[in-house]
């Protein structure tokens, strides 16, 4: 069955199904009769809308029987199977309403350890023996609700896949929406988020070599080394102070005056004192 389809199954004609025909599910259980897929044949397969329920599908089929419906009108003992987004559920048609039945649609697997008839099953890491209480098919795979054989409903359920691997633990409500979400996460685990590869930190001069700013060009021409390029023109070598020609002349005159014992010109003295303070 494709996603979002439903199928109608009716009992095959034969002596083995005579006691089952048109009887309620409760009566069959009281008589020890199990509803099995091999007792039925598919009489109709149709598309299903997302909002469809077993009730409105039943009403639709009762109002108008499709041309390719290969059986009698929908009635007690029929089975309605819904596949909604890959989740398959079987409903036994009652006089009023439906009964959900487990294990009707089976997924064959040569490696499967579990079936609807499994009892005395030992779950790794769990004490005691377990039996299959209910089954559910999602995305073409069957899952099993396990009940403890000694403590029954007083112990939490465990959900296993067909190979006996634990899918969910500490379950108290069977295949409810939370359990179905856990199964879907098991089938489609979220992909780990890949962190972007971290680049080694750049030196200041590398940052400014990359950013293309005017300041970078200005710094390149004036800083002493590339590792001084940091966005501030503050690593320049100290500029040499140039002495004017006039000052040099006055200094020379003062030196000559000292050697000859003459009086040093006042302007030269002042400039010499100023030079010494610097």
């Amino acid at each position: 069955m494709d996603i979002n389809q439903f199928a109608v199954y009716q009992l095959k004609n034969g002596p083995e199904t005579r006691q089952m025909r048109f009887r309620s599910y409760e009566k069959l259980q009281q008589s020890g009769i199990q509803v099995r897929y091999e007792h039925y044949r598919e009489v109709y397969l149709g598309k299903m809308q997302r909002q469809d329920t077993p009730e409105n599908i039943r009403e639709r089929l009762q109002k108008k029987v499709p041309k390719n419906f290969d059986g009698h009108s929908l009635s007690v003992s029929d089975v309605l199977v819904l596949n909604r987004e890959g989740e398959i559920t079987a409903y036994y048609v009652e006089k009023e309403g439906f009964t959900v039945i487990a294990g009707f649609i089976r997924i064959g697997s040569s490696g499967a350890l579990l079936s609807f008839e499994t009892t005395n099953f030992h779950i790794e890491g769990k004490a005691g023996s377990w039996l299959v209480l209910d089954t559910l098919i999602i995305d073409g795979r069957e899952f099993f609700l396990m009940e403890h054989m000694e403590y029954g409903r007083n112990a939490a359920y465990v959900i296993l896949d067909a190979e006996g691997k634990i899918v969910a633990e500490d379950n108290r409500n069977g295949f409810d929406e939370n359990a179905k979400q856990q199964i879907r996460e098991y089938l489609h685990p979220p992909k780990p988020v890949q962190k972007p590869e971290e680049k080694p930190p750049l030196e200041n001069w590398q940052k400014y070599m990359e950013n293309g700013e005017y300041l970078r060009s200005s710094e390149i021409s004036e800083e002493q080394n590339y590792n001084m390029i940091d966005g501030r023109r503050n690593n320049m070598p100290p500029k040499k102070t140039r002495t004017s020609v006039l000052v040099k002349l006055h200094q020379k005159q003062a030196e000559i005056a000292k050697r000859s014992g003459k009086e040093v010109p006042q302007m030269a003295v002042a400039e010499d004192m100023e030079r010494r303070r610097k």
Side-chain angles (χ1 to χ4, degrees):
M1 295 175 65
D2 292 331
I3 291 177
N4 293 327
Q5 286 189 330
F6 72 93
V8 178
Y9 292 84
Q10 294 182 342
L11 288 166
K12 297 176 181 177
N13 292 321
E16 68 277 5
T17 62
R18 188 175 297 123
Q19 293 183 343
M20 302 175 63
R21 201 173 298 277
F22 309 121
R23 297 181 67 183
S24 68
Y25 187 77
E26 184 180 1
K27 291 291 185 183
L28 295 180
Q29 294 295 294
Q30 291 173 355
S31 302
I33 300 174
Q34 293 186 349
V35 179
R36 296 179 178 275
Y37 176 82
E38 53 264 29
H39 294 153
Y40 286 78
R41 68 184 184 93
E42 184 182 295
V43 298
Y44 181 71
L45 179 65
K47 292 183 178 180
M48 183 179 69
Q49 303 299 321
R50 289 191 176 185
Q51 68 273 17
D52 274 344
T53 63
E55 288 77 10
N56 60 34
I57 291 175
R58 180 178 191 169
E59 292 176 3
R60 196 158 63 237
L61 293 176
Q62 288 176 338
K63 287 180 180 179
K64 184 179 180 181
V65 178
K67 293 181 179 179
N68 58 341
F69 195 100
D70 186 25
H72 56 75
S73 60
L74 198 68
S75 59
V76 177
S77 74
D78 291 353
V79 175
L80 185 62
V81 177
L82 275 59
N83 185 347
R84 190 188 309 277
E85 302 292 339
E87 180 184 324
I88 299 176
T89 309
Y91 300 87
Y92 189 87
V93 180
E94 306 280 14
K95 185 176 180 180
E96 293 183 3
F98 301 85
T99 298
V100 177
I101 54 176
F104 182 77
I105 298 292
R106 304 306 307 277
I107 302 296
S109 173
S110 59
L113 297 177
L114 295 167
S115 70
F116 192 67
E117 292 79 22
T118 297
T119 59
N120 294 307
F121 188 82
H122 294 278
I123 302 174
E124 186 176 355
K126 300 290 182 182
S129 299
W130 301 73
L131 59 81
V132 174
L133 181 66
D134 198 0
T135 66
L136 179 68
I137 297 173
I138 293 182
D139 293 348
R141 291 182 61 178
E142 193 167 16
F143 296 89
F144 299 84
L145 185 70
M146 308 299 293
E147 183 182 72
H148 199 281
M149 293 186 67
E150 181 179 355
Y151 300 110
R153 298 178 185 272
N154 293 325
Y157 301 127
V158 178
I159 297 175
L160 305 179
D161 66 8
E163 287 74 40
K165 297 178 181 178
I166 295 177
V167 176
E169 303 179 71
D170 299 325
N171 180 292
R172 293 285 180 179
N173 302 308
F175 288 122
D176 60 2
E177 290 304 317
N178 181 57
K180 292 175 183 178
Q181 180 61 31
Q182 288 179 293
I183 291 172
R184 294 191 185 279
E185 291 175 357
Y186 174 80
L187 290 171
H188 310 287
K191 295 181 179 179
V193 178
Q194 293 184 347
K195 294 183 179 180
E197 184 178 352
E198 295 185 1
K199 296 182 179 180
L202 298 177
E203 298 290 341
N204 284 332
W205 70 270
Q206 291 175 314
K207 295 178 183 178
Y208 285 88
M209 285 294 289
E210 285 190 349
N211 66 15
E213 293 181 356
Y214 168 78
L215 181 59
R216 181 199 69 189
S217 300
S218 175
E219 281 195 277
I220 289 174
S221 64
E222 297 192 11
E223 300 291 21
Q224 296 182 67
N225 300 300
Y226 279 122
N227 60 4
M228 291 184 176
I229 297 177
D230 57 3
R232 300 186 302 274
R233 289 187 294 177
N234 57 356
N235 299 314
M236 295 181 291
K239 294 183 178 180
K240 295 181 179 179
T241 304
R242 298 180 65 181
T243 307
S244 68
V245 176
L246 184 59
V247 171
K248 288 181 178 180
L249 177 60
H250 292 162
Q251 290 174 351
K252 190 67 175 177
Q253 290 174 345
E255 291 175 3
I256 294 171
K258 286 181 180 180
R259 284 200 299 268
S260 59
K262 295 182 181 181
E263 186 179 354
V264 178
Q266 291 298 321
M267 184 176 294
V269 172
E271 288 177 354
D272 184 61
M273 290 177 66
E274 181 67 22
R275 179 172 55 82
R276 292 177 183 276
R277 281 200 298 270
K278 292 182 179 181

